[in-house]
């Protein structure tokens, strides 16, 4: 956990970076403001992290993106903006209220025809997507209930093309909690072990400090079949 003085410094640096890099815009800040007003928790990715997700998508020429955990659609909008014409993003969200807020935010961003928010447990959403036998995804962002991350990762690997990218949010927050009886901490340890062991992935994890405190991201590249 960060102490108050550390957090204050990290927030101030995030603000300076966001300002120097001109990261924010009105649609993104309205997305956060309306999510807040609708009572959603303030746990969306930071602006700088949103830009990272967007750039990763662009770097790999992503046309199809899958998100697990929509909340108010903030990370969704960042990633969907990376898509070329005809691209598509599917986001899975268990909470119907979150999904409603997200759909409004996504529509305001002009991405209503690009993004589909599906309500239900992500495990079911992933199974349905897989059963429908669509094209593989280029990028998957896993950011829902951390205890299920091993299952989400396993499904994501099957559903992502070689050369695609899988990003898992919040891998340090739960790791740092360190309590093996905490299912979310256990899910984090397990997902990182799975990523490290998987012959089809090459993975790194980065610690991040900033406006969300001390946390981290795991980023995996999906390799061609051996
Ligand atoms: N990706 C968002 C933040 C997601 S917060 C952003 O950065 O902007 C995590 C979200 O996952 C919450 O909206 C929560 O309702 C959702 N969630 C939790 N458990 C879930 C599950 N089992 N299936 C699908 N979504 C779930
Ligand atoms: C928190 C942050 C997240 O990014 C998330 O997905 C879930 C929870 C948090 O700050 O508690
Ligand atoms: Mg998160």
């Amino acid at each position: 956990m960060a102490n108050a003085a550390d957090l204050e410094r990290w927030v101030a640096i995030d603000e300076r970076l966001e300002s120097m890099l001109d990261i924010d815009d009105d649609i993104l800040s309205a997305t956060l403001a309306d999510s807040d007003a609708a009572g959603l928790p303030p746990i969306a990715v930071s602006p700088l992290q949103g830009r990272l997700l967007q750039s990763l998508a662009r770097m790999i020429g992503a046309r199809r993106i899958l998100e697990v955990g929509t909340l108010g659609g903030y990370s969704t909008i960042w990633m969907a903006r990376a898509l070329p014409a005809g691209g598509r993003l599917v986001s899975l969200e268990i909470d119907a209220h979150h999904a409603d807020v997200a759909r409004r935010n996504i529509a305001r961003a002009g991405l209503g025809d690009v993004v589909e928010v599906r309500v239900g447990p992500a495990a079911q959403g992933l199974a349905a997507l897989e059963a429908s036998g669509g094209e593989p995804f280029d990028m998957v962002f896993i950011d829902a209930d951390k205890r299920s991350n091993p299952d989400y990762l396993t499904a994501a690997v099957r559903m992502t093309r070689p050369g695609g990218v899988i990003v898992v949010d919040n891998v340090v927050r739960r790791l740092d909690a360190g309590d093996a009886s905490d299912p979310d901490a256990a899910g984090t340890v397990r997902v990182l072990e799975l990523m490290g062991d998987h012959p089809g992935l090459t993975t790194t994890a980065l610690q991040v400090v900033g406006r969300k405190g001390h946390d981290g991201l795991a980023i995996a590249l999906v390799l061609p079949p051996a």
Side-chain angles (χ1 to χ4, degrees), residues 52 171-172 204-208 215-219:
L52 173 65
V171 297
V172 170
T204 191
L206 297 172
Q207 298 191 62
V208 177
D215 206 334
L217 290 169
I219 303 175

Side-chain angles (χ1 to χ4, degrees), residues 42-45 143-144 146 169-170 173-174 212 215:
I43 58 174
V45 296
D143 190 22
K146 313 310 171 190
D169 195 23
N170 309 114
R173 184 178 300 275
R174 306 313 311 181
K212 295 183 71 182
D215 206 334

Side-chain angles (χ1 to χ4, degrees), residues 124-191:
Q124 285 176 26
L126 290 165
L129 278 168
E130 216 178 342
S132 75
E135 273 177 74
F137 289 95
D138 304 297
M139 178 166 169
V140 182
F141 179 48
I142 299 176
D143 190 22
D145 53 318
K146 313 310 171 190
R147 68 197 61 196
S148 303
N149 275 352
D151 297 333
Y152 300 157
L153 186 272
T154 305
V157 174
R158 290 194 302 261
M159 296 166 73
T160 306
R161 70 157 164 91
V165 170
I166 301 171
V167 180
V168 183
D169 195 23
N170 309 114
V171 297
V172 170
R173 184 178 300 275
R174 306 313 311 181
L175 200 63
D176 211 23
D179 176 359
S181 68
D182 171 356
D184 291 323
T188 296
V189 170
R190 188 74 196 117
V191 79

Side-chain angles (χ1 to χ4, degrees), residues 85-99:
R88 187 149 186 76
L89 189 155
V90 178
S91 189
L92 307 177
E93 172 55 54
I94 199 168
D95 185 307
H97 176 55
H98 294 182

